[in-house]
């Protein structure tokens, strides 16, 4: 199965992708958070600099990048949340 999802980019990820949000059609589901991250890097290779720092939020629930499997539905939001700059 696949799902159509909306991806929201925040902070540094906006600079790296050049977009604040986008729609991705045909995301495989269920999918591990690691594979979902890889899919985003395929679309925006510059995101790879955030590799070990970023977390994803699926339907406003934080998901660490790893083996955790998420099931996506049409219209779900996936947010890319890089670390906030310190200060």
């Amino acid at each position: 199965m696949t799902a159509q999802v909306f991806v929201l980019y925040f902070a540094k990820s906006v600079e790296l992708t050049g977009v604040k949000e986008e729609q991705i059609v045909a995301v495989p589901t269920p999918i591990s958070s690691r594979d979902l991250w890889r899919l985003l890097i395929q679309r925006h290779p510059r995101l790879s600099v955030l590799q070990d720092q970023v977390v994803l939020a699926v339907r406003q629930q934080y998901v660490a990048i790893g083996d955790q499997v998420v099931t996506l539905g049409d219209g779900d939001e996936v947010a890319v949340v890089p670390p906030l700059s310190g200060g």
Side-chain angles (χ1 to χ4, degrees), residues 59-76:
R59 295 182 301 275
Q60 302 180 355
Q61 298 290 315
Y62 285 115
V63 178
I65 293 175
D67 296 329
Q68 183 173 344
V69 173
V70 293
T71 301
L72 300 168
D74 285 340
D76 279 356

Side-chain angles (χ1 to χ4, degrees), residues 7-74:
V7 182
L8 309 176
Y9 296 96
F10 293 96
K12 182 76 174 171
S13 65
V14 174
E15 296 173 36
L16 295 170
T17 62
V19 295
K20 289 185 177 181
E21 62 183 60
E22 67 180 335
Q23 184 175 341
I24 303 179
V25 179
V27 176
T29 186
I31 187 170
S32 74
S33 55
R34 180 179 292 115
D35 287 344
L36 181 55
W37 174 241
R38 286 181 183 143
L39 185 145
L40 296 175
I41 288 177
Q42 286 174 358
R43 294 178 69 86
H44 302 285
R46 294 176 64 201
L47 285 175
S48 63
V49 302
L50 299 175
Q51 180 71 39
D52 297 317
Q53 306 164 25
V54 75
V55 294
L56 301 177
V58 177
R59 295 182 301 275
Q60 302 180 355
Q61 298 290 315
Y62 285 115
V63 178
I65 293 175
D67 296 329
Q68 183 173 344
V69 173
V70 293
T71 301
L72 300 168
D74 285 340

